[in-house]
Amino acid sequence: MYAIAVHGGAGVKERKELSPELEERYLQGLRQAINAGYSILESRGRALDAVEAAVASLENNDLFNAGKGSVFTADETHEMEASIMNGSNLDAGAVCGIRNVRNPVRLARTVLEKSIHLFLAGRGAEKFARENNLPFEPDDYFYSAERYQQLRVSKILKPQGTGTVGAVAIDFSGNLAAATSTGGLTNKNYGRVGDSPLIGAGTYANNSTCAVSCTGDGEYFIRAVAAYDISALLEYSGLSLREACEKVILEKLPAIGGEGGAIAVDIEGNIEMIFNSNGMYRGYRKENGAPVVSIY
């Protein structure tokens, strides 16, 4: 059994703001990401390659808050972060505070494979990207009028946004993997880092349990060590994947004020997509099945 699930963030537009045309664009973006990863699994490729491909697809779509669609910081720049984890050996790569890198998830994968370190930040991560010939883009590649308007509104209110993208997968060999990428909060200050690049908070994969990618209020997911907690509930409490996801997302996070969701796949190929927000861009595809996508 091989399968993949993706999310495009829990920060979804209200139904009244989402025209049928825009809704279909979001759903098509999810389908494209799912199929990018599924095609790898279908050809007996690795889960790690599948989640990287799926997340890169979402990073290339300016509808989602990652890569090209990343939101603006308070300084009107884009600071991105990403992580990826291999469930077969618990190896991982992560980056944060990076600018102008086209696909942060590919940089995270390069850190996993080519760096003696697990987590690189800022200029150091960018230097590492250049040394490994990863593509960079100019500032205007990441600009969109809608994102800039969101920044103007946020300056009046407060930093906002729970948009993130992520993927989890199980391959034909039973290996699990997870990846997460984001542009963070609109109007974020002071080099803020969320849960997305933090192994155990926003991303986790372990062949003994499950693979998880989270989206939502990063500070709360960090406090809850949410992604690892889901895995730990399978490992130590014997809960099912659904029970573990519901325990963390519907009970533990709301108890401390956290909003968002998670996608997860376990070693049997079960998929869960649980959220406590008004919606979550999400979808999945299992072996010999068609993509299933939804928002609310």
Side-chain angles (χ1 to χ4, degrees):
M1 163 63 75
Y2 55 84
I4 187 167
V6 306
H7 70 76
V12 306
K13 293 179 178 291
E14 297 290 340
R15 281 185 179 273
K16 61 183 179 182
E17 299 175 357
L18 198 63
S19 68
E21 294 78 15
L22 183 55
E23 179 177 3
E24 181 51 36
R25 286 180 61 203
Y26 275 109
L27 295 176
Q28 186 57 29
L30 292 170
R31 291 188 196 100
Q32 289 173 350
I34 290 168
N35 289 334
Y38 184 85
S39 64
I40 292 171
L41 299 175
E42 191 176 32
S43 60
R44 298 177 70 84
R46 301 169 66 196
L48 195 66
D49 296 326
V51 296
E52 179 188 2
V55 169
S57 176
L58 292 166
E59 288 176 339
N60 293 336
N61 188 327
D62 62 7
L63 288 175
F64 302 100
N65 177 19
K68 182 177 176 62
S70 293
V71 298
F72 283 90
T73 69
D75 295 329
E76 301 189 3
T77 62
H78 300 89
E79 290 184 0
M80 301 171 288
E81 52 199 49
S83 63
I84 190 168
M85 188 167 186
N86 186 352
S88 68
N89 58 8
L90 304 186
D91 202 0
V95 293
C96 71
I98 59 171
R99 296 178 58 180
N100 299 103
V101 177
R102 182 191 297 173
N103 290 112
V105 72
R106 298 208 186 281
L107 177 53
R109 174 69 182 273
T110 307
V111 171
L112 182 155
E113 293 190 331
K114 297 185 177 182
S115 175
I116 62 172
H117 308 299
L118 188 148
F119 198 156
L120 300 181
R123 292 182 180 178
E126 292 164 12
K127 179 180 179 181
F128 182 77
R130 291 188 177 92
E131 290 175 349
N132 286 278
N133 300 312
L134 269 68
F136 279 69
E137 298 290 349
D139 289 343
D140 59 7
Y141 172 83
F142 301 93
Y143 176 87
S144 81
E146 180 179 3
R147 294 295 192 215
Y148 194 72
Q149 179 60 26
Q150 290 172 354
L151 174 65
R152 295 180 64 182
V153 171
S154 186
K155 284 182 178 293
I156 299 171
L157 302 172
K158 63 178 182 178
Q160 58 183 324
T162 51
T164 306
V165 306
V168 296
I170 181 170
D171 62 30
F172 73 100
S173 297
N175 292 314
L176 300 172
T180 311
S181 179
T182 188
L185 292 176
T186 298
N187 198 32
K188 63 183 178 181
N189 276 311
Y190 315 123
R192 180 261 187 186
V193 177
D195 65 303
S196 296
L198 300 182
I199 300 303
T203 305
Y204 194 73
N206 186 331
N207 274 15
S208 298
T209 54
C210 61
V212 184
S213 175
C214 299
T215 171
D217 296 329
E219 282 71 13
Y220 296 96
F221 281 77
I222 294 170
R223 294 173 194 173
V225 199
Y228 175 72
D229 197 17
I230 291 172
S231 171
L233 286 168
L234 268 67
E235 184 172 4
Y236 302 119
S237 297
L239 299 187
S240 69
L241 185 65
R242 173 176 287 275
E243 290 169 337
C245 288
E246 290 181 343
K247 181 74 173 178
V248 173
I249 302 300
L250 302 184
E251 295 181 30
K252 289 189 169 185
L253 279 168
I256 59 174
E259 180 178 320
I263 57 172
V265 59
D266 67 15
I267 56 177
E268 297 177 349
N270 297 307
I271 288 174
E272 296 296 340
M273 301 181 291
I274 306 296
F275 55 94
N276 63 35
S277 50
N278 66 323
M280 181 171 72
Y281 302 110
R282 63 200 188 277
Y284 68 90
R285 187 175 181 184
K286 295 187 176 183
E287 183 177 357
N288 298 321
V292 178
V293 294
S294 52
I295 299 175
Y296 300 101

